[in-house]
Amino acid sequence: MLRVVAPGLLSTIQDLGRPGWFHAGVGVSGAADRRSFTLANRLVGNPESAAAIECALGGLRLEFPAGAIAAVTGASAPISVDGRPEAPASVLYLTGPSYLELGIAASGLRCYVAVRGGIDVPAVLGSRSRDTLAGLGPEPLAAGDALGIGRPPREWPSVEVAPVAAPTADLVTVRVRLGPRDDWFRRPADLFIGSWQAGTDSDRVGLRLDRIDGPPLTRRTHGELPTEGMPLGAIQVPPSGQPVVFLADHPITGGYPVVGTVIDADVDRLAQVRPGQRLRFRAWMP
């Protein structure tokens, strides 16, 4: 068991989501940065899908009444155990009653805290993820919450530290495949000119973008588009011309045209983009 002393700005329980429920109107959800999430689980010997804590920006403080093994990955938040600084993406051995604390991240947006055995909360539709758009799964963490820890796996951590680079605070570049509604825009390749900035209203649903430099995206078709499916990474453009890139908790359908889709391999990098940070798109061809 562990106890939440301070939840930070927003901390939720996440796993790899609930695929296979589109027919019931339920999206996948799950960890926004899957690469950091699965790394945290591997470091403590868990299956990659074990439930862990996703924390936005840091500020999380956890109390462990008994010994535990944990790891913190993702955004570059300072990590300490009982006030002692610890390395990111390393195996943390809490040998007795301890406090694990994350400071505020200097770069990146989302931290992941995995505990050996996984966070043991009731599953909803086969997942322990919090879907913030649908309101499914466990509520966001609050001070005083007590969380169960599952049975430890047989496997043990195979390494003590994973030397991965922290998310950048500089310009982020992601690859995009145009379509399926790029023909609704006068010059869809304008998406690749100049740069964009993540808006302050970005969240787990989507990254809302403002133009920094470059031409606006203008439509040449102004008809009404029938509702159609929306994949992870879809760049939907509402009438305002300000794109929204769909992230983990995105709606499964939408009625605005999608000019392109960020390829799956680059979505995790997008999930670490902070409000105010700049990004640019580059064309990708298979």
Side-chain angles (χ1 to χ4, degrees):
M1 191 268 287
L2 65 86
R3 187 171 68 87
V4 179
V5 179
L9 181 63
L10 175 65
S11 294
T12 57
I13 306 297
Q14 299 293 339
D15 56 18
L16 289 180
R18 44 184 68 84
W21 289 94
F22 284 164
H23 65 284
V26 177
V28 175
S29 187
D33 176 359
R34 298 157 298 178
R35 194 173 305 166
S36 297
F37 170 84
T38 55
L39 174 60
N41 271 323
R42 291 198 302 274
L43 280 167
V44 296
N46 285 344
E48 289 188 341
S49 59
I53 297 173
E54 179 182 280
C55 172
L57 281 178
L60 176 68
R61 182 173 169 83
L62 303 173
E63 178 186 9
F64 291 81
I69 298 176
V72 182
T73 61
S76 60
I79 305 162
S80 65
V81 174
D82 296 332
R84 181 183 66 249
E86 299 284 357
S90 64
V91 183
L92 306 176
Y93 294 95
L94 285 62
T95 55
S98 304
Y99 287 92
L100 171 61
E101 187 167 10
L102 307 186
I104 301 302
S107 64
L109 181 59
R110 294 181 168 93
C111 308
Y112 293 90
V113 180
V115 181
R116 181 169 171 79
I119 303 298
D120 187 13
V121 294
V124 177
L125 299 179
S127 169
R128 294 179 169 88
S129 282
R130 175 64 179 180
D131 184 331
T132 59
L133 182 65
L136 285 176
E139 293 290 329
L141 300 186
D145 284 352
L147 303 175
I149 298 175
R151 179 177 298 177
R154 290 186 176 182
E155 292 76 13
W156 282 90
S158 55
V159 296
E160 293 291 313
V161 61
V164 295
T168 181
D170 298 328
L171 181 71
V172 171
T173 301
V174 295
R175 296 164 289 177
V176 171
R177 183 175 187 178
L178 286 178
R181 301 297 178 190
D182 51 317
D183 59 338
W184 278 51
F185 297 86
R186 296 184 191 281
R187 298 177 302 278
D190 284 351
L191 181 71
F192 306 126
I193 300 175
S195 59
W196 304 81
Q197 185 177 50
T200 55
D201 51 352
S202 298
D203 52 22
R204 280 180 47 86
V205 175
L207 203 60
R208 292 162 174 82
L209 304 179
D210 297 315
R211 248 310 183 193
I212 296 300
D213 53 75
L217 286 172
T218 56
R219 286 170 56 168
R220 67 182 182 87
T221 300
H222 295 280
E224 187 171 343
L225 182 69
T227 298
E228 57 187 5
M230 291 288 147
L232 181 68
I235 306 173
Q236 190 185 66
V237 185
S240 66
Q242 296 173 295
V244 180
V245 188
F246 282 151
L247 299 180
D249 290 352
H250 68 87
I252 64 172
T253 62
Y256 296 129
V258 170
V259 67
T261 302
V262 176
I263 67 171
D264 191 74
D266 289 354
V267 170
D268 292 335
R269 199 178 314 144
L270 271 185
Q272 292 291 358
V273 171
R274 304 165 68 133
Q277 191 170 349
R278 295 173 62 176
L279 65 151
R280 64 185 175 189
F281 299 110
R282 288 291 178 263
W284 179 82
M285 294 291 290

